[in-house]
């Protein structure tokens, strides 16, 4: 007998048939004598539809984050109840719980809250009564008793948090593909499924845009040593195990990821004197902007240009931050480009192997794709390119290393 945490994503519970499919898979494990805690996301595109509804009322998108959290958390409330009704109908004891009922305490950063702790009393109590427990993912409660959400894709993190707090034997993340692939299998037909991947490599892939797992969930799994399995909710077969140590494989590059959520900001004609970069990035930090790639180049007539990237949704804050110091900075122009994508390769083996970057650039050059910016670390190389060419770039780079 084991304690199993299972998480089902939005597409896995999108309609009545799928809800029953998931219910049956849960019941299979329960009837084998296991304790089962299930985390679910909102059905299908519910979260996006709720965002649209808010935009109908407030087209500027300036609704307060508190109210947006109140709205978006409703999606998961529907799916937990429907799944519990299905399990009840199939004759098994079940209890659905909202995030706060399941003990999720978070900080107060509405729309991107961090889990502080999971108070497991209620979960343990329901389990001891032999109930299957269905928990609403993506949500918690802050110290003012307000509902918070954990950021898009946050249900993965809810599941890992429960697995860590309850010391579960297994944490299974069910989705609409049958594991983690070397690139998005819906976009790259030659992508290969991995049997295993390390936390570090999965964390890079997730952070660089592979949405199959939320990056915070991987971070938390690594911290609390929760082994994850990513698997299909529609087919019964083994998925991909995410864990600390994986067998050394010959492949240098583990995977390729794409991120469209990037905006590039260029400040042109800055004075070429000490302290300018500090002034800019200090101000951006004060505005809580996450800066990613930074490039400084020599401009005309003894000036310099500074270009950097930020997540698209932080563009307004970034521009506001720069405008607020416009007078003391004394630059010629600021421009923003949102038609770009970041394509990255990830692999722990690249550190000790020269020639990886050149091979990536060759693949892009052969495909006629222009590189706008480059950034590297020990286990990844990212390039910024025209968004229209992103899918072509992912396939070209993937096939050069893994095809
Ligand atoms: P869920 O609703 O179950 O949380 P998501 O849509 O968040 O599902 O994540 C699953 C999707 O992630 C897949 O449908 C796939 O298109 C995409 N994906 C992107 N990169 C990868 C990858 N490297 N391996 C597997 N799936 C990937
Ligand atoms: N429903 C939320 C979202 O769409 C959380 C999740 O799916 O994990 O982002
Ligand atoms: Mg997801």
């Amino acid at each position: 007998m084991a304690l199993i945490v299972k998480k089902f994503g939005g597409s896995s519970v999108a309609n009545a048939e799928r809800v029953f499919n998931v219910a049956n898979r849960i019941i299979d494990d329960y009837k084998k004598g296991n304790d089962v805690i299930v985390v679910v996301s909102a059905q299908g595109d519910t979260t996006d539809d709720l965002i649209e509804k808010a935009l109908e009322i407030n087209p500027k998108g300036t609704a307060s984050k508190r109210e947006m959290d109140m709205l978006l958390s409703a999606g998961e409330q529907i799916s937990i109840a429907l799944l519990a009704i299905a399990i009840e109908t199939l004759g098994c004891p079940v209890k659905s719980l909202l995030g706060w009922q399941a003990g999720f305490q978070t900080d107060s950063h509405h729309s991107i809250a961090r889990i502080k702790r999971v108070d497991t009393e209620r979960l343990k109590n329901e389990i001891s009564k032999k109930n299957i427990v269905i928990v609403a993912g993506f949500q918690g409660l802050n110290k003012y008793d307000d509902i918070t959400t954990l950021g898009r894709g946050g249900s993965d993190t809810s599941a890992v948090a429960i697995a860590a707090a309850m010391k579960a034997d297994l944490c299974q993340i069910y989705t609409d593909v049958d594991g983690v692939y070397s690139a998005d299998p819906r976009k790259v037909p030659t992508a290969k499924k991995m049997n295993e991947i390390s936390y570090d490599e999965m964390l890079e892939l997730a952070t660089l845009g592979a949405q199959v797992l939320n990056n915070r969930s991987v971070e938390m799994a690594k911290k609390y040593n929760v082994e994850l399995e990513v698997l299909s909710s529609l087919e019964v077969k083994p998925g991909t195990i995410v864990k600390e140590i994986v067998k050394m494989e010959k492949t240098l590059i583990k995977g390729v990821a794409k991120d469209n959520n990037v905006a590039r900001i260029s400040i042109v004609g800055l004075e070429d004197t000490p302290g300018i970069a500090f002034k800019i990035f200090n101000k951006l930090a004060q505005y809580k902007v996450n800066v990613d790639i930074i490039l400084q180049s020599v401009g005309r007539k003894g000036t310099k240009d500074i270009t950097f990237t930020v997540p698209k949704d932080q563009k307004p804050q970034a521009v506001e931050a720069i405008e607020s110091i416009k007078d003391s900075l004394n630059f010629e122009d600021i421009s923003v480009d949102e038609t770009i994508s970041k394509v990255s390769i990830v692999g722990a083996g690249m550190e000790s192997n020269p020639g990886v970057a050149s091979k990536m650039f060759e693949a892009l050059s052969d495909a006629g794709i222009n590189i706008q910016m480059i950034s590297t670390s020990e286990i990844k190389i990212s390039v910024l390119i025209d968004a229209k060419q992103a899918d072509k770039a992912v396939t070209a780079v993937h096939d050069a290393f893994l095809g």
Side-chain angles (χ1 to χ4, degrees):
M1 200 196 87
L3 170 61
I4 307 176
V5 174
K6 292 173 175 293
K7 179 257 167 178
F8 294 91
S11 55
S12 302
V13 290
N15 52 41
E17 187 193 342
R18 295 224 172 152
V19 169
F20 270 112
N21 166 58
V22 165
N24 278 311
R25 294 199 69 160
I26 295 165
I27 290 172
D28 279 349
D29 274 327
Y30 177 79
K31 288 206 167 149
K32 284 181 194 147
N34 300 300
D35 292 328
V36 188
I37 302 178
V38 180
V39 173
V40 264
S41 304
Q43 291 184 290
D45 296 328
T46 302
T47 309
D48 291 328
D49 295 345
L50 290 171
I51 293 173
E52 280 303 314
K53 278 187 185 296
L55 287 170
E56 279 169 23
I57 308 269
N58 175 334
K60 282 194 193 149
T62 52
S64 71
K65 290 190 168 153
R66 181 194 182 279
E67 298 311 329
M68 285 306 291
D69 279 359
M70 192 63 107
L71 177 67
L72 299 194
S73 64
E76 272 72 11
Q77 177 158 0
I78 295 170
S79 55
I80 56 168
L82 292 175
L83 182 56
I85 291 169
I87 291 174
E88 216 172 59
T89 311
L90 294 168
C92 287
V94 61
K95 213 28 105 51
S96 68
L97 300 175
L98 290 169
W100 68 267
Q101 294 175 298
F104 275 83
Q105 295 179 22
T106 74
D107 66 19
S108 290
H109 286 103
H110 282 289
S111 85
I112 188 79
R114 279 194 179 260
I115 299 165
K116 284 183 143 174
R117 51 172 287 171
V118 182
D119 190 349
T120 55
E121 205 181 309
R122 178 79 188 266
L123 287 172
K124 284 184 177 145
N125 186 14
E126 298 298 344
I127 287 291
S128 73
K129 289 191 229 152
K130 286 286 155 214
N131 282 319
I132 295 171
V133 186
I134 313 289
V135 179
F138 175 59
Q139 54 176 259
L141 199 69
N142 68 13
K143 63 179 177 192
Y144 307 109
D145 283 353
D146 283 327
I147 305 269
T148 53
T149 66
L150 309 177
R152 298 305 305 270
S155 297
D156 297 338
T157 316
S158 307
V160 175
I162 291 181
M166 294 290 289
K167 300 195 173 43
D169 300 287
L170 260 181
C171 184
Q172 298 175 308
I173 311 287
Y174 289 85
T175 183
D176 56 359
V177 289
D178 60 0
V180 179
Y181 280 70
S182 53
D184 187 340
R186 295 185 191 285
K187 297 274 166 59
V188 181
T190 48
K192 291 182 184 65
K193 184 173 153 185
M194 303 174 208
N195 293 325
E196 304 180 330
I197 182 168
S198 69
Y199 290 128
D200 288 336
E201 287 172 317
M202 190 64 236
L203 183 57
E204 285 288 349
L205 277 179
T207 305
L208 294 168
Q211 104 204 75
V212 62
L213 278 178
N214 174 283
N215 61 347
R216 277 190 181 174
S217 73
V218 185
E219 204 172 65
M220 189 180 287
K222 180 178 158 77
K223 185 167 170 195
Y224 295 101
N225 206 17
V226 175
E227 198 171 292
L228 302 178
E229 184 179 11
V230 177
L231 66 175
S232 164
S233 63
L234 298 166
E235 291 171 277
V236 181
K237 60 176 180 181
T240 301
I241 305 283
V242 188
K243 60 181 187 177
E244 187 64 55
I245 315 271
V246 300
K247 287 194 300 295
M248 282 304 283
E249 281 176 29
K250 273 189 246 105
T251 49
L252 191 62
I253 300 304
K254 255 290 159 25
V256 184
K258 175 189 79 172
D259 188 356
N260 288 336
N261 181 22
V262 189
R264 185 185 55 194
I265 299 180
S266 298
I267 312 174
V268 177
L270 285 155
E271 225 175 280
D272 195 10
T273 50
I276 298 290
F278 167 68
K279 225 184 229 173
I280 292 172
F281 294 103
N282 185 43
K283 191 47 79 181
L284 287 165
Q286 283 170 13
Y287 276 70
K288 303 231 175 311
V289 175
N290 289 319
V291 176
D292 184 21
I293 306 175
I294 302 173
L295 190 78
Q296 176 173 310
S297 53
V298 179
R300 284 162 295 155
K301 290 185 257 150
T303 63
K304 66 183 172 191
D305 304 339
I306 289 183
T307 303
F308 55 90
T309 64
V310 300
K312 261 185 197 152
D313 54 356
Q314 293 184 10
K315 184 201 77 177
Q317 293 99 293
V319 172
E320 204 184 316
I322 304 302
E323 295 288 352
S324 78
I325 45 172
K326 191 176 190 323
D327 291 343
S328 67
L329 268 182
N330 195 17
F331 54 85
E332 278 167 28
D333 193 24
I334 174 169
S335 67
V336 183
D337 185 355
E338 293 183 83
T339 60
I340 49 170
S341 279
K342 185 167 72 172
V343 172
S344 311
I345 55 173
V346 170
M350 74 169 73
E351 204 178 358
S352 49
N353 278 278
V356 174
S358 94
K359 191 168 173 177
M360 180 180 189
F361 304 155
E362 181 186 14
L364 292 167
S365 144
D366 288 349
I369 293 163
N370 186 40
I371 302 171
Q372 301 179 7
M373 283 167 96
I374 301 170
S375 118
T376 66
S377 79
E378 287 93 343
I379 71 165
K380 68 139 215 261
I381 301 173
S382 301
V383 294
L384 224 64
I385 58 168
D386 183 342
K388 285 197 290 298
Q389 294 184 305
D391 287 336
K392 188 171 153 199
V394 171
T395 303
V397 172
H398 178 272
D399 290 352
F401 288 100
L402 298 152

